[in-house]
Amino acid sequence: MSGQTHRLASGGEIDRARPLGFSFDGRAYQGYAGDTLASALIANGVRLVGRSFKYHRPRGIYSIGPEEPNALVRLRQGGRAEPNTRATVAELYDGLAAESQHRWPSLGLDIGWVNDLLGPFIPSGFYYKTFMGPGRGAWMVYEKYIRKAAGLGTAAREPDPDRYEKRALWCDVLVVGGGPAGIAAALATAETGARVVLADERASFGGALRRERMTIGGLAGRDWAGNSIDALAARGNVTLLPRTTVFGYYDGNGLGAVERVQDHVPTPGEYLPRQRLWNIRARRVVLATGAIEQPLVFAGNDKPGVMLASAARGYVNQYAARPGTRAVIATGNDDAYRTAIDLALAGVEVVAVVDHRPAADGALPRAARARGIDVVTGHAVVGTIGMMDVAAVEIARIDPQGALADGAARQLACDLVCASGGWQPAVHLHSHTGAKPVFDDTINAFVPGPSRQAELSVGAARGAFALADCLADGLRAGAEAAKATGHGSGAVPPTPACEDGGVQAPARALWPVPRPPGVRGKAFVDIQDDVTDKDVALAHREGYVSVEHLKRYTTLGMGTDQGKISNLAGHAIMAGLRGQSMQQVGTTTFRPPYTPVAFAAFAGRELGRHYQPIRRTPTHAWHEANGATFIEAGLWVRPQVYMRGGEQMGDAIAREVRAVRGNLGICDVSTLGKIDVQGPDAAKFLDRVYCNTFSTLPAGRARYGLMLREDGIVMDDGTTSRLSEHRFFMTTTTANAGKVMTHLEYYLSVVWPELKVQVASVTEQWAGIAVAGPKSRELLQRAMTGVDLSNEALPFMGVRDGLLAGIPARVFRISFSGELAYEVNVPSDFGVAAWEALMAAGNPLDAVPYGLEAMGVMRIEKGHVVGSELDGRTTPGDLNMDRLVSKKKDFIGRQLMGRPGLVDPKRKRLVGLVPVDGRTRIRAGAQIVADPRAPAPVEMLGHVTSACPSASLNHPIALALVSGGLERKGQTLHAAFPLRNESVAVKVVDPVFVDPEGKRLHG
Amino acid sequence: MLIRCPWCGERDHAEYFYGGDATVKRPAENAGVQAWNDYVYLRDNPKGPHRELWQHQAGCREWLVVTRDTLTHDILGVEPVKGAAR
Ligand SMILES: [Zn+2]
C-alpha cells in the first residue's frame, strides 16, 4: 500500500475514522467513507487511470462528475461486473474492485499507443474510407481487431445475480437536481403542501455547495443544504430521491429516473434491489440540473494532470484530496480563480493563473492576487510538456482579439493544469422535450429556449450562476410551480443572505486556443472519443456543414459522456471555420439517457418466467396432477401430451391419436377465443365479417366461418353458433382471439356504427372440453342430463344446452379431429368438476386425455388449416375454400379479393404431401422444388407448412402450399431443406389424408 | 403521451391501441378497385396535426378520434368516434 500521500490532514466530507480498502488493477489502496473511487485514487496519488479510445493515450481523472471522459472502469467482478463506470461518481465501499479499460496488456504499457504515433494517418473517417470503401470486404476481416484495440469495456458473461425493480411515481412538482437552486425550489414548493419529489444523482444533496466554499444564511453551504434536506425529509408531502439520476424527459411530462439503491455496497441488502427505475409523472418540473464546466482546447490538453478547474478544487474541498502539488490555472473567466484560491488554501503551490482575457479585475481575481497568486493576463496555456504526465505548460501571449500576439511560448513547470473554458448549462432534459436551446453571448453557452412542456430551468441550468440568483430562481420557480398545481398563493419566500465570492466580470471564449509554431501535440475537442481540433477542421474542409453530420463523421460527442464536455468546443470551432454565429450553427439534439442506464434497470423484474404473463386454462391443475407435459402457445400453457411410465413422447402421441380415432379421447380446448355477439343486427354483422353467410343459420346450429381482411387475405377462422335469433357465439383461433375482438369493435364503432350489435370477449368465462372418438356420444349420454344427444336431435353442427354432472353446459357437435366429436363448454369455475365428471364417466369406456400434439397430428391428417397455413398471405382459394365464399353478399375482403394477383392460377395452394419412399420425414419449412440437383437459382414452387408422422397411416405426411396446388396431384416433387442438406422426394396428394368423405363426423 | 379518454380520463398512451388514420373512409361497395386499393394501401404522412383512431384497449375499449401533432406528439383533442366529424 503506497498510502494516501495526496490526502489533506483536515477538511472535506470524508470520514477519516472509517478507512475503506479497495483495489484498482489488482493493486490494494485505502480510502475513506465519503470518497468516490476517483477521489480515493487522487488521494493515493494515482494519476494514470485509463487509455484513450482511439490513440490509447495515457489519461487521468479529468472531472468530478458524470461528464468524466477518461476514468471509465470496470467495477466489480463476475456477474456483478459493470463496464464503463465513471470513477468520479462511483461511491467507494470496502472491498471495491475496479479495473481500467482500453489498455492491453497493461495500463503502463499499452501496445495500442502506437496508434498515437500513427495519428496523422488516422484522421476522422479513416476506418470508413479505408475499410468500407471499394472492396469493403477488408472491414469484415479487420473489424474484430479494430474493435478489440478500441476497447469499449467488456460486459459480464455471467447472469447478473442482483434484482432490479421498477416503480411509478406521481407528483405535483418534480425538482431535478439538489443543488442550491433545486433545494430552494423544493423548499418553496413543499411549504404549500404540494406533493414534491427532489431527485439528485449524488448520495448527498447540495450539489456545488459540497464542492465550493460558499455560505448561505451564515452557514457553510453544505450545512445549509443538510439542514434544508432534514427539514424537507420531515414533511409528509416530500419524497427525496438521492442517488437518483433523472435520465430522460418524455411526452406528457413523463420522466425516467434510475435510483442506485445499493450500488454503494458490495452486495445489495436482503430484499433490496441494486437499482430501481422510476417512471415519474409530474404536473410541473423544475430543472435545477446545474452546469458543466467546459475544457480548453490546447495541445496536450488530455494528459494526466490536466483537469477541469472546478474538479480540482472540488476534490480539495469535498474530499480533502490534492490532485497535484504545483498547479497552473488556465482560464478566460473569473470562476476558475476559485480554484487558485482553494488550492492555495489547501497547501498546493499555485504557479500562476493564466487568463487569456486582456485584464482580470473582478472580485475573485482580486482575491487571488491578494493571496499573492501570480495572475498572468493576456496569455493562454497553449501546450503541455511530458509524455505520461504533465511536467510543464507552455504559455503564449494572446492579443485582445484572441489571436497570438507573437509566436513565442515559454514554459511553466507544474504537475497540475486546471482548465476552464466556461460553463455550459445542463440543458439535456430541457432538450429531450423537443425544446431548442439558444446561444447566450453573455455566457458563451447554450441556455434553455422556450419550454415545450410544463418545465422551467432555474439557476445554473439556465445560465444564472451567481448563488443569490440560484436561490432566488429556485424559490420563485418552486412557488410558481406549486401555484400552478393548485397549491399556495405563488408568494415567493425571501432569498437568504449568501456569499459566493462576488460579482464576476464577463468571461471570454477562445475556441480553440491558438497554437504557436513549434508547439506540438494533439489538441483534443472530445477527449473521450479522441476527436481533435484538426478532425473538426477536416470535417469542415470535406463539406460537413451540419453539426449533426459533424458528430457522425468525427464521432464528436458520441461517447458515454454524450458530448457533455465536447459539444460546445466542437461546435464553436465549426462556427469559427464557417464564419457563422453559434446560434446559426446550433447544437446537436440531446437524447435520453442523460447518463448511461444499465439494461438490467430497464428489464426490472421482467426476466425469465416473469417476462410475460402466463395463462393457464381452468383445468390446468388436473393436467398437472395427471402427468401432462406442457407446451407454450402464445401466453397459454397447454397440455402437450400425457406420457405414461416409460413411454417416449412420439409413442405417447401416437397412442393418443389412435385412442381418439379408435375409441375415445378428451382434450382441453379452453384457449379458443370466444366472443358473445348480440343484437338485432348480429346476423347482418356476421355476414359482413365472414366471407360466408351466417344470416341463414338457424338457431341451435353452428357453422365454420372464414374471416378475411380488407385486402382479401384470410385473417382467422372458427366455428360460430347461433344461440337465438339475435345472439351468436363466435370462436376464434387461440392466437387471434384479441385481434379478432379488436377487429369487430373497430367495424362496429368506426365503420358501421348504425348496426345494433354488442360484442363481449368471453374467452375466459368458459372452460372448453373436446370429447372425440367413436364412443364420444356414449360418454356424453352417460355424463349429461337434460339434453337429447341422439344423431337426430343433435346432428353434426348442432348446439344444445344441458347439464353435465349438474353443471350447466353447452354442447356443440363439432369436430377438429374428424371423428364423431363434441365440444362441451361449462363456466370456467366448473372446469375441473366437468373434466373430472367426464373422465369418471369415460373410465369404463377407456377414455384417455389427449394433448396438443395429438390434436395437431389429427388436424394435419384431416387437412385442417391453422396459423401455419393462415400465414397472412393465403386467400380462401389458396386453401381450397373458394366454394365457401359467398357471391350473394358484400363482406370484408370482397372488393379486393378478385385482384389478378390473388386469383393467379399459379398461386401457391394447399396440397398434401407424402414421402415417395413411404418413410422419410418431411420437415416443416422445407422448400418445394422440382429438381433438388438443379444449380441455383432454383425456382421455389412452395413450402411445407405442417408435417408430422401420421399415427393413423403409419407414415409421414405434410401439408404444403405449392404453386398450382392440386393441379399437381400425383406429381413427384422434392422437399429440400438445405440447412440440413436434406431433400425428400414427395408425392402431391389430397390434403385430407383420413376419411376424405367425412363419414365419421356424421355417425 | 397522455390521452384524455372522454370516459376514463387522462391515461398513458400505453393503454391505447393505435388504429390508423381517422380521415380515411371505407368506400362504398361499388366504388371500384382503385378506390378500394387507395383505402387499403394509401396513407398520407402529414407533419403536424393529424386525426387518428385510437382504441382505449386497456380501459373502456371505446374507439376515439385523437388529434395528435405528429411532430411534437401534442394531443390537441380527443372525441368519441361516434359523432366525430371525419
Ligand atoms: Zn376509456
Side-chain angles (χ1 to χ4, degrees), chain A residues 78-231:
Chain A
R80 292 197 166 93
E82 196 177 338
N84 295 324
T85 307
R86 289 143 292 137
T88 47
V89 294
E91 288 177 56
L92 196 70
Y93 55 81
D94 199 43
L96 178 146
E99 278 178 50
S100 60
Q101 300 183 161
H102 299 187
R103 47 81 179 166
W104 185 80
S106 74
L107 200 50
L109 175 68
D110 181 358
I111 301 289
W113 203 3
V114 70
N115 275 0
D116 194 24
L117 307 175
L118 294 174
F121 307 105
I122 316 183
S124 285
F126 169 78
Y127 293 122
Y128 292 101
K129 287 175 189 166
T130 309
F131 296 109
M132 293 177 151
R136 65 195 167 81
W139 178 250
M140 305 297 180
V141 177
Y142 291 114
E143 183 186 3
K144 64 181 175 208
Y145 299 106
I146 290 168
R147 294 235 186 268
K148 178 180 161 61
L152 285 164
T154 35
R157 291 189 174 272
E158 302 88 339
D160 189 331
D162 295 328
R163 265 176 63 163
Y164 296 78
E165 67 178 33
K166 296 185 200 177
R167 283 185 67 179
L169 183 60
W170 177 91
C171 60
D172 290 309
V173 181
L174 168 67
V175 181
V176 185
I183 291 174
L187 287 170
T189 312
E191 256 177 42
T192 67
R195 198 158 148 178
V196 54
V197 173
L198 175 62
D200 192 273
E201 60 193 352
R202 297 305 190 125
S204 40
F205 291 89
L209 296 176
R210 300 203 167 261
R211 302 187 291 270
E212 306 282 3
R213 290 183 308 103
M214 295 177 177
T215 63
I216 301 175
L219 295 172
R222 70 173 65 127
D223 295 331
W224 178 84
N227 292 352
S228 303
I229 293 299
D230 288 347

Side-chain angles (χ1 to χ4, degrees), chain A residues 120-445:
Chain A
F121 307 105
I122 316 183
S124 285
F126 169 78
Y127 293 122
Y128 292 101
K129 287 175 189 166
T130 309
F131 296 109
M132 293 177 151
R136 65 195 167 81
W139 178 250
M140 305 297 180
V141 177
Y142 291 114
E143 183 186 3
K144 64 181 175 208
Y145 299 106
I146 290 168
R147 294 235 186 268
K148 178 180 161 61
L152 285 164
T154 35
R157 291 189 174 272
E158 302 88 339
D160 189 331
D162 295 328
R163 265 176 63 163
Y164 296 78
E165 67 178 33
K166 296 185 200 177
R167 283 185 67 179
L169 183 60
W170 177 91
C171 60
D172 290 309
V173 181
L174 168 67
V175 181
V176 185
I183 291 174
L187 287 170
T189 312
E191 256 177 42
T192 67
R195 198 158 148 178
V196 54
V197 173
L198 175 62
D200 192 273
E201 60 193 352
R202 297 305 190 125
S204 40
F205 291 89
L209 296 176
R210 300 203 167 261
R211 302 187 291 270
E212 306 282 3
R213 290 183 308 103
M214 295 177 177
T215 63
I216 301 175
L219 295 172
R222 70 173 65 127
D223 295 331
W224 178 84
N227 292 352
S228 303
I229 293 299
D230 288 347
L232 288 168
R235 303 192 68 113
N237 60 327
V238 177
T239 302
L240 296 174
L241 292 177
R243 297 191 173 102
T244 303
T245 303
V246 177
F247 61 78
Y249 200 143
Y250 306 95
D251 296 321
N253 254 28
L255 295 98
V258 63
E259 180 184 2
R260 288 168 291 274
V261 183
Q262 294 280 282
D263 265 0
H264 58 293
V265 293
T267 52
E270 205 175 7
Y271 308 122
L272 284 174
R274 177 171 291 284
Q275 296 180 359
R276 184 180 286 138
L277 195 78
W278 288 93
N279 187 349
I280 303 173
R281 192 71 78 170
R283 293 173 73 188
R284 296 277 152 170
V285 175
V286 176
L287 296 174
T289 48
I292 300 170
E293 193 170 25
Q294 301 297 302
L296 285 168
V297 180
F298 54 83
N301 63 343
D302 66 319
K303 285 176 193 157
V306 182
M307 67 165 56
L308 294 171
S310 59
R313 67 177 180 269
Y315 284 113
V316 166
N317 292 335
Q318 185 169 359
Y319 304 106
R322 187 165 48 82
T325 50
R326 284 169 64 81
V328 167
I329 287 83
T331 184
N333 59 62
D334 281 7
D335 183 74
Y337 286 78
R338 296 180 201 285
T339 302
I341 297 165
D342 294 0
L343 289 179
L345 283 171
V348 176
E349 182 190 342
V350 178
V351 178
V353 178
V354 182
D355 191 330
H356 59 247
R357 294 174 297 182
D361 303 313
L364 285 164
R366 285 201 308 272
R369 285 196 189 93
R371 290 189 175 276
I373 293 169
D374 188 15
V375 174
V376 186
T377 55
H379 280 71
V381 170
V382 294
T384 58
I385 306 293
M387 273 294 269
M388 291 293 288
D389 215 338
V390 170
V393 292
E394 295 175 282
I395 70 170
R397 276 177 38 145
I398 301 292
D399 71 19
Q401 283 70 46
L404 286 170
D406 51 59
R410 64 184 166 102
Q411 295 189 3
L412 298 176
C414 64
D415 65 354
L416 177 62
V417 184
C418 310
S420 178
W423 290 80
Q424 168 58 54
V427 294
H428 301 72
L429 293 173
H430 167 77
S431 179
H432 292 175
T433 65
K436 299 272 178 251
V438 295
F439 195 74
D440 182 341
D441 287 316
T442 61
I443 62 162
N444 303 308

Side-chain angles (χ1 to χ4, degrees), chain A residues 251 281 710 742 745 895, chain B residues 12 26 29 55 61 73:
Chain A
D251 296 321
R281 192 71 78 170
E710 292 284 14
T742 299
E745 288 168 326
Q895 300 296 331
Chain B
D12 191 276
R26 193 168 186 267
E29 196 178 326
Q55 186 190 20
R61 293 194 74 87
H73 295 179

Side-chain angles (χ1 to χ4, degrees), chain A residues 548-589:
Chain A
E548 296 288 355
H549 294 162
L550 171 69
K551 168 179 170 175
R552 282 149 185 85
Y553 186 63
T554 62
T555 72
L556 174 75
M558 288 177 73
T560 61
D561 62 354
Q562 282 195 48
K564 290 184 179 65
I565 57 168
S566 59
N567 275 359
L568 187 69
H571 300 169
I573 293 170
M574 188 80 169
L577 291 166
R578 298 191 59 209
Q580 286 187 325
S581 70
M582 282 295 273
Q583 187 61 43
Q584 284 172 302
V585 168
T587 180
T588 50
T589 306

Side-chain angles (χ1 to χ4, degrees), chain A residues 251-253 279 281 452 710-711 738 741-742 745-753 758 889-896 899, chain B residues 1-2 12-13 17 19 26 28-33 36-37 39-41 53 55 57 61-63 72-74 81-82 86:
Chain A
D251 296 321
N253 254 28
N279 187 349
R281 192 71 78 170
R452 283 264 310 110
E710 292 284 14
D711 63 359
M741 184 66 193
T742 299
E745 288 168 326
Y746 172 85
Y747 280 92
L748 285 173
S749 283
V750 180
V751 183
W752 304 310
Q758 291 289 336
K889 59 160 183 132
D890 194 30
F891 54 85
I892 295 168
R894 185 184 181 206
Q895 300 296 331
L896 292 181
R899 288 176 295 166
Chain B
M1 286 191 304
L2 290 172
D12 191 276
H13 77 279
F17 170 78
R26 193 168 186 267
E29 196 178 326
N30 53 5
V33 74
W36 277 90
N37 201 69
Y39 165 64
V40 171
Y41 297 108
L53 291 165
Q55 186 190 20
Q57 205 159 67
R61 293 194 74 87
E62 285 290 336
W63 282 89
T72 63
H73 295 179
D74 287 340
V81 71
K82 285 171 191 167
R86 289 205 297 125

Side-chain angles (χ1 to χ4, degrees), chain A residues 607-769:
Chain A
L607 296 171
R609 291 298 336 175
H610 298 296
Y611 178 64
Q612 54 186 17
I614 296 170
R615 300 181 83 181
R616 296 190 179 91
T617 67
T619 50
H620 184 85
W622 189 95
H623 308 310
E624 214 166 23
N626 287 272
T629 57
F630 292 93
I631 189 166
E632 286 176 38
L635 297 180
W636 288 103
V637 177
R638 305 183 65 177
Q640 183 181 19
V641 60
Y642 302 79
M643 282 187 284
R644 291 175 178 172
E647 216 174 17
Q648 297 295 308
M649 184 176 285
D651 296 335
I653 296 165
R655 172 181 55 73
E656 290 177 4
V657 170
R658 282 192 287 267
V660 174
R661 296 244 183 266
N663 187 51
L664 181 58
I666 299 180
C667 182
D668 184 355
V669 293
S670 303
T671 63
L672 284 180
K674 308 172 196 78
I675 299 171
D676 194 339
V677 184
Q678 296 191 44
D681 293 323
K684 193 193 270 184
F685 177 55
L686 293 185
D687 275 354
R688 296 182 188 181
V689 163
Y690 284 117
C691 70
N692 51 328
T693 307
F694 277 78
S695 51
T696 55
L697 185 69
R701 299 285 294 178
R703 183 168 283 170
Y704 175 78
L706 199 59
M707 217 176 261
L708 309 188
R709 310 188 306 216
E710 292 284 14
D711 63 359
I713 297 293
V714 177
M715 181 175 123
D716 198 55
D717 70 345
T719 304
T720 289
S721 311
R722 189 167 205 163
L723 302 178
S724 65
E725 177 66 15
H726 294 159
R727 185 172 190 186
F728 289 81
F729 180 78
M730 174 186 285
T731 67
T732 74
T733 60
T734 297
N736 284 337
K739 188 169 148 186
V740 171
M741 184 66 193
T742 299
H743 179 77
L744 301 183
E745 288 168 326
Y746 172 85
Y747 280 92
L748 285 173
S749 283
V750 180
V751 183
W752 304 310
E754 71 282 3
L755 290 185
K756 292 185 170 64
V757 181
Q758 291 289 336
V759 290
S761 168
V762 293
T763 301
E764 290 170 358
Q765 276 63 34
W766 296 97
I769 304 170

